[in-house]
Amino acid sequence: MRQRQKSGISPPSNQPDAQNPRFPKSDRHKPPTNCYLLSSTRRVFALCLAFRVVNALLVQTYFNPDEHWQALEVAHRIVFGYGHLTWEWKKGIRSYLHPLLFAVLYKVLALLGLDSPWFMQRAPRLLQSIFSAVGDLYLYKMSDVLFGDCVAEWALFSQLANWFMIFCFPRTLSNNLETAVTLVSLYHWPCLRVSPTKVPSVSRKWGLALAALACVIRPTSAIIWVYIGLLELFGTHDRLRLIFLEVAPIGALVLGLTCLLDRLMYGSWVLVPLNFLKFNFLSSGGDYYGTHKWHWYFTQGFPVMLFSFLPFSVAGIVWSKHWKLSGLIAWVLGLYSLLGHKEFRFVLPVLPIALMFSGFALAKTKASDSQDTEKKGSLNTHSRHPFKRLSILFLLATNIPMALYMSLVHQRGTEDVMIYLSEEARNNKVESILFLMPCHATPYYSTLHRNLPMRFLDCSPSEEKDIPDESDRFMMDPISFVSEFTKSWSIPSHIVLFGSEERLLRDFLTSHSFKEIRRFFHSHFKVDRELQASVVVYFWTGH
């Protein structure tokens, strides 16, 4: 196991002083750390893993449908034979690689007889916590290689304390696995180092293989690797070797293996990256689910993700002058801005890079405070590093409450209602369920874990434009939609809907022998629709 550098906060010795951060000389010969947990990469990983496991157990809210519908639901169908496949799987724009990771987990749980509601709900996020911890570790290692161990410590602090990473990173989104793989890959790329020629040649091959894997997990990851690939191409002397002996064979091998996997799962040859490109870029299919202004990532999306770390990240970019990595952030935000449909999670892979620059700024602040203290000759430990202490308190006071609120409170009703229904179904108290709410608003069979009839309102993209789907028609006029819908329905034992629509349909439901049996808190404020304050469950009392 590689031991940490012994050089205070200066970069490794293979980096020339001209590239070093301007830390005071008084700090450059201090012991690397007083923290036993950060004295080796093994202990750093143990710390990150412990943190992410607790983090995974802490998250109890709903964030994005893809966490369940594009990963766990597919894995559940593979292992248990039932689960809903959304329209993307019929169009062949999703690879089975990511869901198969959770399918293996489900199979192990089933073999051990542990496929109970508790394990089915928490085990996938616990598995993701391992991947997230690996990403945390490699952000630390990359920061150590580029800027030194002090920056690495503060970069890790920024990563673990950022509200959005706490809220999002343990979830089973493909973006999170993409982020972890991206961090490992970036660590191996010579073009990002100050002395690329001193990086072993095998390191670049690992970087290429992991970059290809990231693109297989999410084809849009190619946006990152085009930038890194061009940097490597222009900075290396063996360009033909890079293209024909490394990029081509490694890329072909990873793509070929993935195609074979998808061939096995789909039952026919499917080129997922091509189908994904056609739908999301050539036909702007993603716009069906909403659009934002072109500047949204710069003015709202990414600043919200960074939150109070934003000024520190900007300062770190300016002070470090590492324009290659800061350019990567601008490149990713710029290209994603060209797409109409925008989401926070799309740019998650570059959030840790911005947080690394925040760590740089915090480390430089510490170094500056140390220099000022030595000049004053103060021995009072309570007065040392005043600005650093205030900065840490400010970051923790702003991020931790936000992380706790978003992870424990905001939009938890749709998770809670499925946990409740899974327990009721386990006790044979549920026969069928109808979800009268926007499509994909809750988890599905992967949480219920019972093969019962369930129905939700469809929102698959239509070939004809300007024709509202079931979900849209229900939201526009719930009473008219339900009146027409019930003419040909099979009466469910349970109906689930948001409180905002329940108020409109209460008389209708009562007249059809439905009675409210549970109500779950969901949200204090609206997100993209009217306020969905609660989730209500109605039970059919007729015979």
Side-chain angles (χ1 to χ4, degrees):
M1 184 61 63
R2 184 179 67 86
Q3 295 296 315
R4 308 214 18 252
Q5 301 290 332
K6 300 296 183 181
S7 57
I9 49 180
S10 62
S13 58
N14 64 343
Q15 298 184 20
D17 288 342
Q19 298 292 336
N20 287 355
R22 294 185 178 88
F23 292 120
K25 293 181 181 179
S26 60
D27 262 12
R28 290 188 181 176
H29 302 288
K30 291 183 179 180
T33 181
N34 292 322
C35 182
Y36 175 77
L37 290 175
L38 300 181
S39 59
S40 72
T41 53
R42 179 179 298 177
R43 294 191 180 98
V44 172
F45 178 69
L47 171 66
C48 294
L49 181 59
F51 181 89
R52 291 302 176 195
V53 166
V54 174
N55 189 179
L57 295 174
L58 185 73
V59 173
Q60 300 176 33
T61 55
Y62 197 79
F63 173 40
N64 187 279
D66 283 8
E67 178 184 2
H68 301 282
W69 294 81
Q70 301 301 344
L72 305 185
E73 194 67 17
V74 182
H76 194 278
R77 183 183 178 92
I78 293 171
V79 176
F80 299 104
Y82 61 98
H84 183 83
L85 295 184
T86 59
W87 62 270
E88 291 101 325
W89 299 93
K90 299 172 185 177
K91 295 284 187 178
I93 66 172
R94 300 280 184 178
S95 173
Y96 274 92
L97 177 61
H98 183 238
L100 275 174
L101 296 173
F102 300 101
V104 172
L105 173 65
Y106 281 155
K107 189 64 176 179
V108 171
L109 292 178
L111 291 174
L112 296 176
L114 296 176
D115 55 326
S116 63
W118 194 95
F119 281 102
M120 292 297 293
Q121 294 149 19
R122 293 170 177 82
R125 285 176 179 168
L126 290 174
L127 176 61
Q128 175 59 39
S129 70
I130 300 175
F131 304 141
S132 300
V134 171
D136 296 333
L137 171 66
Y138 273 85
L139 177 69
Y140 174 88
K141 294 179 67 173
M142 181 167 62
S143 304
D144 190 3
V145 167
L146 294 178
F147 302 119
D149 46 30
C150 186
V151 172
E153 293 172 13
W154 289 107
L156 183 61
F157 164 80
S158 300
Q159 172 89 340
L160 299 183
N162 175 258
W163 82 270
F164 194 82
M165 296 303 294
I166 295 173
F167 169 68
C168 182
F169 213 19
R171 298 179 184 272
T172 53
L173 293 160
S174 60
N175 308 84
N176 294 343
L177 183 59
E178 174 200 10
T179 299
V181 173
T182 296
L183 289 170
V184 180
S185 180
L186 288 174
Y187 170 79
H188 286 94
W189 280 89
C191 63
L192 299 177
R193 309 286 183 88
V194 174
S195 301
T197 56
K198 296 184 178 181
V199 180
S201 59
V202 70
S203 182
R204 186 168 70 185
K205 295 183 178 66
W206 277 111
L208 278 166
L210 291 164
L213 180 62
C215 292
V216 167
I217 296 169
R218 284 194 64 82
T220 49
S221 191
I223 291 175
I224 294 174
W225 303 113
V226 166
Y227 176 91
I228 298 296
L230 290 174
L231 284 181
E232 187 68 27
L233 185 65
F234 292 138
T236 187
H237 296 294
D238 53 347
R239 294 175 184 173
L240 293 179
R241 175 184 176 84
L242 172 63
I243 296 173
F244 295 105
L245 298 182
E246 296 183 18
V247 174
I250 291 175
L253 176 62
V254 174
L255 181 61
L257 291 175
T258 306
C259 286
L260 285 174
L261 174 65
D262 288 330
R263 168 68 177 82
L264 177 65
M265 300 305 298
Y266 275 107
S268 60
W269 289 106
V270 176
L271 193 57
V272 170
L274 180 60
N275 293 338
F276 190 93
L277 177 68
K278 287 180 179 178
F279 179 81
N280 287 285
F281 290 88
L282 302 182
S283 65
S284 299
D287 293 359
Y288 182 82
Y289 294 103
T291 60
H292 295 80
K293 298 290 185 181
W294 70 268
H295 54 75
W296 184 81
Y297 282 121
F298 292 98
T299 58
Q300 298 177 58
F302 207 59
V304 167
M305 294 166 72
L306 276 171
F307 199 43
S308 54
F309 282 95
L310 179 60
F312 296 91
S313 296
V314 173
I317 290 172
V318 174
W319 291 341
S320 70
K321 294 183 171 57
H322 200 300
W323 305 122
K324 291 179 180 178
L325 275 175
S326 56
L328 174 61
I329 299 173
W331 167 268
V332 169
L333 296 183
L335 284 193
Y336 271 108
S337 295
L338 299 178
L339 301 178
H341 182 60
K342 300 175 176 65
E343 295 185 34
F344 293 107
R345 61 192 178 97
F346 291 170
V347 295
L348 182 65
V350 293
L351 178 59
I353 307 303
L355 293 171
M356 181 179 67
F357 286 117
S358 171
F360 188 99
L362 288 169
K364 183 174 175 64
T365 299
K366 174 185 176 182
S368 300
D369 283 344
S370 297
Q371 188 180 41
D372 292 341
T373 302
E374 288 185 7
K375 287 181 179 179
K376 295 176 181 178
S378 174
L379 297 177
N380 184 354
T381 57
H382 294 287
S383 63
R384 296 181 65 185
H385 315 323
F387 185 74
K388 183 197 72 171
R389 292 178 183 275
L390 289 175
S391 298
I392 295 171
L393 288 174
F394 168 70
L395 291 170
L396 292 176
T398 50
N399 281 270
I400 300 305
M402 172 77 94
L404 291 174
Y405 178 78
M406 296 299 291
S407 299
L408 291 170
V409 180
H410 181 60
Q411 295 191 152
R412 68 169 297 150
T414 50
E415 294 271 347
D416 289 343
V417 71
M418 291 307 296
I419 294 172
Y420 163 75
L421 290 171
S422 70
E423 293 170 349
E424 292 290 284
R426 192 176 178 85
N427 295 322
N428 298 316
K429 295 181 179 179
V430 180
E431 296 179 5
S432 58
I433 307 171
L434 170 64
F435 296 88
L436 289 177
M437 52 205 329
C439 66
H440 308 141
T442 68
Y444 214 49
Y445 283 110
S446 57
T447 298
L448 187 76
H449 196 45
R450 282 292 181 275
N451 193 8
L452 300 174
M454 293 201 293
R455 170 79 156 85
F456 66 93
L457 304 181
D458 183 61
C459 61
S460 303
S462 173
E463 297 292 337
E464 303 178 34
K465 294 183 178 180
D466 301 324
I467 296 181
D469 53 43
E470 274 191 342
S471 182
D472 289 333
R473 286 188 280 119
F474 171 73
M475 296 303 293
M476 288 187 290
D477 191 349
I479 296 177
S480 297
F481 178 88
V482 172
S483 298
E484 185 66 27
F485 184 81
T486 54
K487 292 179 180 179
S488 58
W489 73 346
S490 177
I491 299 178
S493 65
H494 292 71
I495 292 180
V496 182
L497 67 171
F498 283 118
S500 52
E501 284 70 49
E502 182 263 345
R503 288 192 297 272
L504 300 174
L505 296 173
R506 187 175 299 157
D507 293 340
F508 180 90
L509 293 170
T510 301
S511 66
H512 283 73
S513 302
F514 282 92
K515 177 184 178 182
E516 179 186 334
I517 56 172
R518 286 298 297 269
R519 182 178 294 264
F520 299 90
F521 166 80
H522 186 62
S523 176
H524 287 116
F525 55 88
K526 65 180 182 180
V527 180
D528 54 355
R529 296 183 176 93
E530 293 301 317
L531 175 62
Q532 297 165 337
S534 59
V535 177
V536 191
V537 181
Y538 272 76
F539 174 71
W540 188 58
T541 59
H543 298 283

